């Protein structure tokens, strides 16, 4: 079974630029999560989708971050414009409705904002 | 409201000695609890989970954890550490009713030769 795929693995941008991350969850997993993990901290949930609907985006900085999962499969997370404090690893995870709460994680995208 | 506290940010043990990583939680309901491991430059991997069945949970790579409701704890243990266990470990609490998931800040495990 293929795991959660994320791209790119690394991204370096300057502040005020835009960036987008892509995630393809495990086939058949209805729930998709985006997390931000700042160095030295645990992952913080940014947004949770179930199919193509948003379940929780209470910690998403909506003035600069956006995410979509239009067809209920893969998802894109965008930052526009980026700030220095956005430097982090962005993790995508997915889970099935049957195995609720058990999340499978991708390798993450490491973003450096200069 | 849920919360999870990992009591040690760093733990160092010698290879072949026992490992204890401590986790306390707070939850209004009967929570689901998890331990994840993150090796450098790798994704998070599920070690084990507790979802209201047996209180002693066995996971992969020889790890196990015991759910103690009276102490609101879910400590992770392993009888004998291996060099490959060096990683960051996260305790996670989840409310099964609303699927909200909270990660602890992590404990970095160092294995001394």
């Amino acid at each position: 079974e293929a795991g959660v795929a994320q791209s790119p693995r690394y991204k370096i941008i300057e502040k005020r630029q835009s960036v987008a991350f892509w995630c393809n969850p495990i086939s058949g997993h209805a729930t998709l999560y985006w997390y931000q993990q700042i160095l030295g901290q645990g992952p913080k949930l940014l947004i949770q989708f179930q199919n193509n609907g948003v379940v929780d985006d209470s910690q998403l900085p909506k003035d600069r971050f956006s995410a979509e999962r239009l067809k209920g499969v893969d998802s894109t997370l965008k930052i526009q414009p980026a700030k220095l404090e956005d430097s982090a690893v962005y993790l995508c995870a997915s889970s099935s409705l049957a195995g609720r709460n058990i999340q499978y994680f991708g390798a993450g995208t490491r973003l450096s904002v200069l | 409201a849920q919360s999870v506290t990992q009591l040690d940010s760093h733990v160092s043990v010698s290879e072949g000695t026992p490992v204890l990583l401590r986790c306390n939680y707070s939850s209004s309901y009967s929570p689901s609890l998890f331990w994840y491991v993150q090796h450098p430059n790798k994704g998070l991997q599920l070690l084990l989970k507790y979802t209201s069945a047996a209180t002693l949970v066995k996971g992969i790579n020889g790890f196990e954890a015991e759910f103690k409701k009276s102490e609101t704890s879910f400590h992770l243990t392993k009888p004998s550490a291996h060099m490959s266990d060096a990683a960051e470990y996260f305790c996670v609490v989840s409310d099964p009713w609303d699927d909200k998931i909270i990660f602890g800040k992590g404990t970095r495990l160092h294995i001394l030769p």
Side-chain angles (χ1 to χ4, degrees):
Chain A
E1 173 182 83
V4 176
Q6 288 189 248
S7 67
R9 287 297 311 276
Y10 305 93
K11 190 73 177 178
I12 301 173
I13 62 173
E14 295 189 351
K15 60 183 179 184
R16 292 187 287 274
Q17 286 188 320
S18 302
V19 65
F21 313 126
W22 175 81
C23 172
N24 192 27
I26 292 173
S27 178
H29 279 194
T31 309
L32 185 148
Y33 312 79
W34 282 104
Y35 289 88
Q36 180 193 59
Q37 186 178 16
I38 293 173
L39 186 66
Q41 299 182 18
K44 181 183 82 171
L45 180 68
L46 291 176
I47 189 167
Q48 177 182 343
F49 291 96
Q50 185 162 310
N51 297 311
N52 59 350
V54 175
V55 173
D56 182 358
D57 64 356
S58 56
Q59 298 194 91
L60 186 73
K62 297 180 184 64
D63 57 333
R64 297 185 300 106
F65 285 65
S66 63
E68 59 184 15
R69 192 185 185 200
L70 293 175
K71 297 181 179 179
V73 181
D74 57 347
S75 175
T76 303
L77 176 70
K78 296 180 181 177
I79 308 175
Q80 180 179 5
K83 293 185 175 181
L84 296 176
E85 58 261 36
D86 299 330
S87 294
V89 176
Y90 291 84
L91 297 166
C92 180
S94 69
S95 66
S96 68
L97 291 178
R100 57 190 302 169
N101 302 127
I102 300 174
Q103 298 177 55
Y104 298 86
F105 284 81
T109 297
R110 183 175 297 277
L111 173 67
S112 296
V113 182
L114 307 179
Chain B
Q2 298 176 102
S3 67
V4 60
T5 302
Q6 292 184 243
L7 296 159
D8 307 292
S9 58
H10 292 266
V11 169
S12 295
V13 302
S14 297
E15 190 175 19
T17 64
V19 175
L20 170 65
L21 304 183
R22 298 183 293 167
C23 173
N24 286 102
Y25 70 91
S26 172
S27 177
S28 302
Y29 307 102
S30 295
S32 296
L33 294 158
F34 309 81
W35 277 98
Y36 280 85
V37 61
Q38 187 175 37
H39 290 275
N41 299 315
K42 296 282 182 65
L44 286 149
Q45 181 184 18
L46 180 67
L47 272 181
L48 50 81
K49 66 184 190 298
Y50 166 78
T51 54
S52 75
T55 56
L56 182 62
V57 181
K58 294 188 183 297
I60 62 172
N61 300 336
F63 284 94
E64 61 183 37
E66 186 171 7
F67 174 71
K68 292 187 176 180
K69 187 174 182 178
S70 60
E71 299 176 10
T72 60
S73 69
F74 190 58
H75 301 335
L76 181 70
T77 60
K78 182 173 180 177
S80 176
H82 191 272
M83 294 300 291
S84 61
D85 295 328
E88 187 94 19
Y89 291 79
F90 293 95
C91 183
V92 179
V93 63
S94 171
D95 178 347
W97 294 103
D98 65 10
D99 287 342
K100 287 196 182 295
I101 294 168
I102 306 294
F103 275 74
K105 292 187 176 181
T107 298
R108 183 163 294 278
L109 177 63
H110 304 270
I111 310 297
L112 308 173

